[in-house]
Amino acid sequence: MENGTNENPLTALVRKLNQHSPLTREDENAVRELRARVRNLRPNEDVVVQGAPPTACVVVIDGMVARYHLRADGGRQYLGFHIAGDMPDAQGLLLRTMDHAVCATDSARVALIQNAEMLALFKLRRDLALVFWRETLIDAAMFRAWITNNSSRPPMPRMAHFFCEQYYRALAAGLAKDGRCRLPLTQSQIGEALGLSLVHVSRTLRALRKTQTMDFVRGTLAVLDWKALAEIGEFDPVYLHPHQFQAQ
Amino acid sequence: MENGTNENPLTALVRKLNQHSPLTREDENAVRELRARVRNLRPNEDVVVQGAPPTACVVVIDGMVARYHLRADGGRQYLGFHIAGDMPDAQGLLLRTMDHAVCATDSARVALIQNAEMLALFKLRRDLALVFWRETLIDAAMFRAWITNNSSRPPMPRMAHFFCEQYYRALAAGLAKDGRCRLPLTQSQIGEALGLSLVHVSRTLRALRKTQTMDFVRGTLAVLDWKALAEIGEFDPVYLHPHQFQAQ
DNA sequence: CGCATTCTTGACACCAGTCAACGTTAGTGG
DNA sequence: CCACTAACGTTGACTGGTGTCAAGAATGCG
């Protein structure tokens, strides 16, 4: 399901929004007609820098993009990884300072939409504001899940939960097939996401592989036994609010 | 600054919203005129249960309220603590299932507003939707800060950061004086927030006390040297977006 | 006063971080 | 195609930090 260059860059976004908030045809078109500047990112290139005032908001078209906190000592804490259709900095729409940064983990393509344009859209189509709001609320639910995961689960379940989340979302985005999806991260980055040292990521990964439920090699995640993996990670996708919406 | 029973129960909410999004007099009145049912909570009583469909949203009037994930083994992971003016479950407005619970940590008073009433308000006063949206985005920033705090800081800075956040927010809410504020938590609960064992909370607290920057005794936090404490915890309040707003 | 809850302290074990060396893979240029 | 390099991953040895267990002290409440 590679995104052809001819396709509207916001198609993935529309699909994603529809998953939790069915859009009218008019709403869909209004989103698709947003003026988006497409930008190619090289691995590790920042697209949003921490501390800056946000001006445009980012929609991922292709590849993977990460949010992270830059620590005082220069270290990173990754806060989430984003794929086609995700808006990793929607909070910038309404806040004055970015409290975190966004970068590409691998090559990625993103669409940039001026905040003013988004806000104008919300004025015009009020319901869409609620749709994007809901999107940011699901985002917040993911953050909560990360707090619990990183704070209260031992390394192996923690890592299993992490892989479950990534795989589940890739599946929802149509980016998984044959039990595999792209997850272009180094073990070091996984460590910076889960609060584990690189060495311990390696050890934990070995232990996880031995359960025969998954594999992870050079940026590709393979799920061999979803049910068992989800059990190890205590993974329950309710927080991702799949196919849910509240009628207005 | 105890909240007299005669006062409008939503005054604290209006004050808080004003801190990031200056409201017009009409907007203020519209918020104050929301029909709110006041409910008294006893220590440890749930007001929102995990997994349930949300129907009303909660505004804290008095006391302290906590969000938490209930783990499969019955353990809790606290996700945040809330004081007067906070809306600990605003996400319930637009999502179908509560992925976390809300309880009182001590006796508390909350106002309950039907979701339908809130949504009607947003239809009537579109700008208010953006104001409440912004409120939930600041919430999300706090979650991110917790991820980083719990995942990447050693116990002492972690705890210092936690105390800084609580004190800073109490101050903003007018609930601190003489360098002290209420923080009605047991050490066990602090452990369940920071991902530390009870015993280690006790040890870390002793170490923190020895720095002479703070004290914490039976539900009261005293800040003795704010600057030094903030330094220990690498605390930078930008993520709380104090006095910030984006003109629409 | 007596009981339940919370806090403190010490002893101990083990998990996970650090250090260091080596292996593996991908990419580059000859 | 091979040689070389840099980045990434693996493994072992070691250490220290943090959890667990257990006992006792302090506090609050009835």
Side-chain angles (χ1 to χ4, degrees):
Chain A
M1 181 103 43
E2 288 297 310
N3 196 327
T5 39
N6 297 341
E7 203 170 337
N8 181 303
L10 300 180
T11 298
L13 173 62
V14 169
R15 176 193 41 67
K16 177 141 192 260
L17 295 175
N18 260 316
Q19 283 182 2
H20 54 71
S21 312
L23 303 179
T24 64
R25 196 144 279 302
E26 292 79 35
D27 284 342
E28 282 194 7
N29 289 335
V31 172
R32 257 192 283 264
E33 281 160 16
L34 283 165
R35 262 176 311 178
R37 185 165 74 80
V38 174
R39 178 168 161 196
N40 289 295
L41 300 173
R42 278 172 307 181
N44 216 30
E45 187 178 354
D46 278 342
V47 60
V48 173
V49 311
Q50 186 168 324
T55 57
C57 82
V58 175
V59 178
V60 182
I61 302 173
D62 230 312
M64 178 165 272
V65 144
R67 312 210 231 194
Y68 66 93
H69 272 159
L70 196 55
R71 304 257 329 281
D73 62 6
R76 290 182 176 191
Q77 172 65 49
Y78 286 102
L79 303 165
F81 298 105
H82 296 275
I83 54 181
D86 288 348
M87 301 183 58
D89 71 336
Q91 65 137 17
L93 267 174
L94 297 173
L95 297 178
R96 269 245 290 263
T97 313
M98 287 302 296
D99 61 81
H100 64 280
V102 179
C103 71
T105 68
D106 199 1
S107 340
R109 234 171 56 207
V110 298
L112 297 169
I113 305 166
Q114 291 299 315
N115 282 346
E117 175 127 1
M118 291 292 284
L119 294 171
L121 176 68
F122 299 153
K123 280 227 155 84
L124 212 69
R125 308 194 148 265
R126 183 179 10 205
D127 290 353
L128 276 178
L130 295 183
V131 170
F132 281 89
W133 186 359
R134 184 173 291 124
E135 176 76 15
T136 65
L137 290 175
I138 294 174
D139 233 65
M142 291 178 48
F143 291 134
R144 288 191 289 274
W146 276 47
I147 292 173
T148 297
N149 198 39
N150 287 5
S151 306
S152 77
R153 275 194 265 269
M156 198 167 102
R158 189 186 306 183
M159 186 176 283
H161 191 281
F162 172 74
F163 285 134
C164 284
E165 181 183 291
Q166 301 312 316
Y167 182 73
Y168 188 93
R169 304 204 316 128
L171 202 64
L175 295 173
K177 72 175 165 191
D178 303 331
R180 305 171 150 270
C181 70
R182 208 78 244 292
L183 186 61
L185 302 174
T186 65
Q187 291 192 13
S188 187
Q189 288 173 312
I190 294 177
E192 290 171 318
L194 298 178
L196 297 172
S197 70
L198 161 61
V199 173
H200 209 62
V201 168
S202 180
R203 287 194 278 239
T204 307
L205 192 49
R206 174 174 43 170
L208 244 191
R209 282 186 182 119
K210 216 162 71 180
T211 66
Q212 310 265 35
T213 58
M214 55 78 60
D215 198 7
F216 175 73
V217 196
R218 261 161 287 126
T220 300
L221 173 64
V223 173
L224 309 174
D225 185 341
W226 170 257
K227 195 152 164 263
L229 184 62
E231 198 154 319
I232 294 172
E234 299 182 359
F235 181 75
D236 176 353
V238 281
Y239 71 95
L240 297 171
H241 297 273
H243 314 297
Q244 293 205 3
F245 61 95
Q246 166 131 349
Q248 307 152 31
Chain B
M1 182 98 47
E2 287 298 309
N3 196 326
T5 39
N6 296 341
E7 204 170 337
N8 181 303
L10 300 181
T11 298
L13 174 61
V14 170
R15 176 193 41 67
K16 177 140 191 260
L17 296 176
N18 260 315
Q19 282 182 3
H20 55 71
S21 312
L23 302 180
T24 64
R25 195 144 278 302
E26 292 78 36
D27 283 343
E28 283 194 6
N29 288 336
V31 172
R32 256 192 284 265
E33 279 160 17
L34 283 164
R35 262 177 312 178
R37 186 165 74 81
V38 175
R39 179 169 160 195
N40 289 295
L41 300 173
R42 278 172 306 180
N44 217 30
E45 187 178 353
D46 277 342
V47 60
V48 173
V49 312
Q50 185 168 326
T55 58
C57 83
V58 176
V59 178
V60 182
I61 302 173
D62 230 311
M64 177 165 270
V65 144
R67 312 209 231 195
Y68 67 93
H69 273 159
L70 197 55
R71 304 256 329 280
D73 61 6
R76 291 183 177 190
Q77 172 65 49
Y78 286 102
L79 303 165
F81 299 105
H82 296 275
I83 56 181
D86 288 349
M87 301 184 59
D89 71 337
Q91 67 136 15
L93 268 173
L94 297 174
L95 296 179
R96 270 245 293 261
T97 312
M98 287 302 296
D99 61 82
H100 63 280
V102 179
C103 72
T105 67
D106 198 0
S107 340
R109 237 171 54 206
V110 298
L112 297 170
I113 304 166
Q114 291 299 315
N115 282 345
E117 175 128 3
M118 291 291 285
L119 294 171
L121 176 67
F122 299 154
K123 280 227 155 86
L124 213 68
R125 307 193 149 265
R126 181 182 10 208
D127 291 352
L128 275 178
L130 295 183
V131 171
F132 280 90
W133 186 358
R134 184 173 291 124
E135 177 76 16
T136 65
L137 290 175
I138 294 173
D139 234 65
M142 290 178 49
F143 291 132
R144 288 191 288 272
W146 276 47
I147 293 173
T148 297
N149 199 39
N150 287 7
S151 306
S152 77
R153 275 193 265 269
M156 198 167 104
R158 189 186 307 184
M159 186 175 285
H161 191 280
F162 172 74
F163 284 135
C164 283
E165 180 182 293
Q166 301 312 317
Y167 183 72
Y168 188 94
R169 303 203 317 128
L171 203 64
L175 294 172
K177 71 174 167 190
D178 303 332
R180 303 169 152 273
C181 70
R182 211 74 245 293
L183 187 61
L185 303 174
T186 66
Q187 292 191 12
S188 188
Q189 289 172 311
I190 293 176
E192 289 170 319
L194 298 179
L196 297 172
S197 70
L198 161 62
V199 173
H200 210 62
V201 168
S202 181
R203 286 193 279 238
T204 307
L205 191 50
R206 174 175 44 173
L208 244 191
R209 282 187 181 118
K210 218 162 71 180
T211 66
Q212 310 265 33
T213 58
M214 56 76 62
D215 199 6
F216 175 74
V217 196
R218 261 159 290 125
T220 300
L221 172 64
V223 173
L224 309 174
D225 184 341
W226 169 258
K227 194 153 164 263
L229 185 61
E231 198 154 319
I232 293 172
E234 299 182 358
F235 181 75
D236 176 353
V238 282
Y239 71 96
L240 297 170
H241 297 274
H243 313 297
Q244 294 204 3
F245 60 95
Q246 167 131 348
Q248 309 152 30

